[in-house]
Amino acid sequence: MCSFPPAGPQWEVVNVSAGAKRVEQLDRVVIRFAGDSGDGMQLTGDRFTSETAQLGNDISTLPNFPAEIRAPAGTLPGVSSFQVHFADYDILTPGDSPNVLVAMNPAALKANLADLPSGADIIVNTDEFTKRNLAKVGYAASPLEDGSLSDYAVHPVALTSMTVGALAELGVAKKDGERAKNMFALGLLSWMYSRPFESTLRFLETKFAKRPDLVAANKAAFQAGWNFGETTESFTVRYEVKPARMKPGTYRNITGNQALALGLVAASVRSKLPLFLGAYPITPASDILHELSKHKKFGITTVQAEDEIAAIGAAVGASYGGALGVTTTSGPGVALKGETISLAIALELPLVIVDVQRAGPSTGMPTKTEQADLNMALFGRHGEAPLAVIAPKSPSDCFHAAIEAARIALKYRTPVILLSDNYVANGSEPWLLPSADELPDISVEFTTEPNGEDGRFLPYLRDPETMARPWAIPGTAGLEHRIGGLEKADKTGDISYDPANHEHMVRTRAARIEAIPVPDVEVEDADENARVLVLGWGSTYGPIGAACRALRQRGLPIAQAHLRHLAPLPANLGEVLAAYDKVVIPEMNLGQLAHVIRAKYLVDAVPFNQVSGLPFTAATLENMLEDVVKNG
């Protein structure tokens, strides 16, 4: 019988009838699908998430896949998983530990077992628990038989053989039948948690439109899994999770990369400028290129360049030509783009550089998350080369962060680094579609007339309000001007080696970035009596928020503030930091923001760091913060 641990979801029996499955009401569930990288776990999790979104639950997901293109089948390095947390209330994270694990083979079980709480449900594909597969991951005996899983509710299911059997009448080859076992698992879980299935059937019809035999096979496998749940005595309970109370409007489930791409499209429309993306494929940023390439009707041009340097060079050229230039990459690509970013800073041209961070250094762990690139974003260029840096806090926030990055770049004529990361980029959540009228007008006016008193064009004569230089489209009569990386003379833009001019230009470039107005940082302090402030940035928003929420529910006062703008920092940040006895900064690095805060504000900020390639769990932060609040 399925059961949950006492600390897990709270439930009540809502319907019991003789001969029928019992239905229990849950407030939240965390499910993890895990298997070999060829078992379709990402697709299975994505479809389950889409089904769940239709019911109106709040959702947060965590895909986790191997970095190897194709690790040996059945091995630990080849395990791929997808975790989905859904609830009838507002949630902030994909969940700390699964209530349900679907393990397609011994490797999936072994790789994920340590994350399960006592009493969790484990659905195991018994067909894969052969001596050979057990030996691959170091099992001397089957854990299904040696009693090592006695703390869990184990449900042995012959997923592979039942799938092949269900498809036998369709004449499907055994190999194709075995591949459909993920649909059997999806059907079973969809039944268990009362998910709708019509959209999944339509999805299969579209995905395999050119192969009617595969459409029939996958639909039959899904139905077989559903029917198995309905008829077997192994599962005597179904579960329901009611819709969450959410702000009225139209929602869609969206990943961070999708939201960021759509935000760039919106920025192009609202700025009335064509968008040019110069990109080179790199994990985990490539999906932005893929998504933007679908939107040519909005005047979007995407170019897959031969390398990272060519990609940003093309984007800078597009900005020079009057477009919204964008380039996307991850940490290794930012390193390669460094010289051209410095060129854009010297030219004072708008440019958006999207860095979807991953675990480093070097190639590191390409599919794992880390907030590793803050130092590089702030300081990683030769010479004094300041620019603006912002970071989205969640998948849906990537949309608004992209518009904000474009706004700053266009208005203040500066490159802007947008620091996403793998956790945000591939995670998903419900997104309330905004009205186009709600989006800011970020249109710009190009210079069309000479601006000097003598009728000359002065390309570095600045706007007194924004300190931005004029943006003149090449070919505009009378506005010819010199470009390049050599130091510019103030106002004229001529090449200058004058020491005093160089000092003036260096200080001016720094001052104009520091003077960009950004919103004040807001503090969440329910009782206004907290003495500990938790300061975060980027994707730590969810785990920090969940931990602070749990502590407040237990009567422990704690304040939370989260930074979107990292350069320049909010003007009121120093005042906020000074109002608390202790400032704690959790980061998925070795304390990069903490170093900046200590240096700039002389605050003895306490760093709390993790570089495991995985996001913080709320429980980890809750335990740490509880100790800080109680013991100082």
Side-chain angles (χ1 to χ4, degrees):
M1 174 180 173
C2 299
S3 61
F4 290 99
Q10 302 301 308
W11 55 266
E12 59 178 332
V13 178
V14 296
N15 179 38
V16 180
S17 60
K21 302 279 187 176
R22 189 167 79 252
V23 179
E24 295 176 357
Q25 191 73 51
L26 303 174
D27 62 356
R28 69 172 186 90
V29 179
V30 180
I31 298 174
R32 183 180 297 175
F33 299 91
D36 192 71
S37 57
D39 285 338
M41 293 296 93
Q42 301 303 318
L43 174 63
T44 306
D46 181 71
R47 292 313 312 160
F48 190 90
T49 301
S50 296
E51 294 173 355
T52 299
Q54 291 180 59
L55 286 180
N57 299 129
D58 198 13
I59 307 166
S60 183
T61 69
L62 178 63
N64 190 2
F65 36 86
E68 289 80 2
I69 294 175
R70 189 66 175 94
T75 62
L76 292 173
V79 173
S80 175
S81 68
F82 189 105
Q83 183 164 303
V84 54
H85 182 192
F86 57 103
D88 64 5
Y89 60 89
D90 172 44
I91 56 176
L92 296 172
T93 75
D96 288 355
S97 54
N99 308 116
V100 182
L101 171 67
V102 179
M104 303 297 279
N105 59 22
L109 176 66
K110 188 167 189 177
N112 293 281
L113 190 60
D115 294 337
L116 301 182
S118 177
D121 285 284
I122 304 176
I123 299 172
V124 228
N125 180 15
T126 55
D127 290 321
E128 294 298 319
F129 277 69
T130 63
K131 288 184 178 180
R132 182 183 180 189
N133 286 343
L134 292 167
K136 283 182 181 179
V137 294
Y139 278 128
S142 173
L144 305 181
E145 301 171 357
D146 64 6
S148 59
L149 302 179
S150 59
D151 289 339
Y152 310 100
V154 180
H155 305 276
V157 181
L159 285 170
T160 306
S161 57
M162 283 199 291
T163 303
V164 172
L167 306 184
E169 294 184 0
L170 298 177
V172 176
K174 182 180 179 182
K175 187 174 182 180
D176 287 335
E178 291 177 347
R179 286 175 176 169
K181 62 182 179 291
N182 65 324
M183 287 297 107
F184 188 104
L186 178 59
L188 173 58
L189 270 292
S190 298
W191 173 85
M192 284 181 65
Y193 291 95
S194 308
R195 304 292 96 181
F197 56 81
E198 292 80 7
S199 66
T200 292
L201 300 183
R202 290 194 298 269
F203 168 81
L204 294 172
E205 291 169 356
T206 302
K207 181 175 178 62
F208 300 110
K210 297 181 180 180
R211 291 284 306 274
D213 56 328
L214 294 185
V215 173
N218 281 278
K219 289 173 71 173
F222 181 93
Q223 189 66 55
W226 182 284
N227 292 341
F228 177 74
E230 185 72 36
T231 59
T232 183
E233 295 183 1
S234 299
F235 299 95
T236 59
V237 182
R238 292 185 73 183
Y239 303 97
E240 290 182 351
V241 180
K242 292 179 180 179
R245 293 183 179 179
M246 304 173 78
K247 182 179 179 181
T250 302
Y251 288 81
R252 62 162 287 187
N253 187 51
I254 199 165
T255 67
N257 275 345
Q258 290 172 332
L260 201 153
L262 294 179
L264 291 172
V265 173
S268 174
V269 172
R270 298 299 287 174
S271 66
K272 302 180 179 64
L273 296 177
L275 186 146
F276 177 91
L277 173 70
Y280 181 76
I282 184 171
T283 302
S286 299
D287 285 342
I288 303 172
L289 168 62
H290 302 158
E291 182 66 31
L292 282 175
S293 68
K294 302 174 184 177
H295 300 289
K296 295 181 177 66
K297 65 181 180 181
F298 291 104
I300 309 299
T301 300
T302 55
V303 172
Q304 180 175 318
E306 65 267 30
D307 56 39
E308 296 281 6
I309 299 172
I312 190 173
V316 171
S319 291
Y320 176 62
L324 174 55
V326 180
T327 189
T328 55
T329 188
S330 190
V334 176
L336 291 168
K337 296 176 189 291
E339 182 178 1
T340 311
I341 295 174
S342 292
L343 173 62
I345 291 170
L347 295 175
E348 299 185 27
L349 284 172
L351 180 68
V352 176
I353 305 114
V354 178
D355 176 4
V356 186
Q357 301 165 96
R358 68 192 206 188
S362 188
T363 311
M365 299 192 294
T367 61
K368 309 303 178 184
T369 196
E370 204 163 280
Q371 293 179 302
D373 299 343
L374 179 58
N375 280 344
M376 183 162 60
L378 295 174
F379 312 116
R381 290 163 297 283
H382 57 285
E384 297 288 342
L387 46 64
V389 181
I390 68 174
K393 65 183 182 181
S394 69
S396 62
D397 188 47
C398 287
F399 176 83
H400 301 285
I403 297 175
E404 175 69 353
R407 182 192 71 83
I408 291 175
L410 294 170
K411 184 172 183 177
Y412 299 97
R413 311 285 197 271
T414 178
V416 178
I417 292 182
L418 178 55
L419 282 177
S420 179
D421 64 44
N422 187 67
Y423 175 41
V424 163
N426 288 309
S428 65
E429 65 181 358
W431 173 46
L432 176 61
L433 272 64
S435 167
D437 296 336
E438 299 172 1
L439 303 179
D441 180 358
I442 58 174
S443 56
V444 297
E445 292 186 7
F446 295 109
T447 299
T448 57
E449 301 290 339
N451 57 357
E453 293 181 357
D454 56 357
R456 296 174 60 197
F457 175 55
L458 301 176
Y460 284 84
L461 181 64
R462 304 180 183 283
D463 182 299
E465 179 184 349
T466 64
M467 298 182 70
R469 78 174 185 88
W471 194 3
I473 299 298
T476 305
L479 304 188
E480 297 84 359
H481 60 285
R482 185 186 299 274
I483 64 169
L486 293 172
E487 183 61 282
K488 312 292 185 298
D490 186 31
K491 298 182 179 62
T492 67
D494 295 334
I495 294 174
S496 173
Y497 296 103
D498 178 69
N501 175 80
H502 176 60
E503 174 126 359
H504 171 76
M505 294 297 284
V506 167
R507 291 187 180 277
T508 300
R509 284 189 290 264
R512 74 188 199 89
I513 299 300
E514 194 64 29
I516 294 173
V518 300
D520 282 348
V521 63
E522 297 181 358
V523 180
E524 184 178 340
D525 186 354
D527 301 321
E528 298 185 352
N529 62 348
R531 303 317 308 155
V532 175
L533 172 71
V534 189
L535 182 67
W537 67 276
S539 65
T540 57
Y541 174 79
I544 291 173
C548 291
R549 177 187 292 177
L551 289 173
R552 292 190 195 106
Q553 289 173 348
R554 294 164 49 198
L556 296 176
I558 193 163
Q560 176 188 0
H562 208 76
L563 295 175
R564 167 183 275 188
H565 294 85
L566 297 159
L569 290 163
N572 72 326
L573 182 57
E575 179 183 346
V576 167
L577 296 173
Y580 294 89
D581 296 338
K582 187 77 70 175
V583 177
V584 182
I585 305 181
E587 295 181 82
M588 292 186 291
N589 56 42
L590 294 183
Q592 295 181 22
L593 177 63
H595 292 161
V596 172
I597 295 301
R598 284 176 163 182
K600 185 174 179 65
Y601 300 102
L602 302 181
V603 171
D604 188 19
V606 179
F608 186 76
N609 308 118
Q610 174 177 299
V611 284
S612 62
L614 295 171
F616 284 111
T617 65
T620 297
L621 294 181
E622 182 182 349
N623 292 335
M624 179 272 295
L625 293 172
E626 179 181 7
D627 182 65
V628 174
V629 171
K630 289 182 176 179
N631 302 316

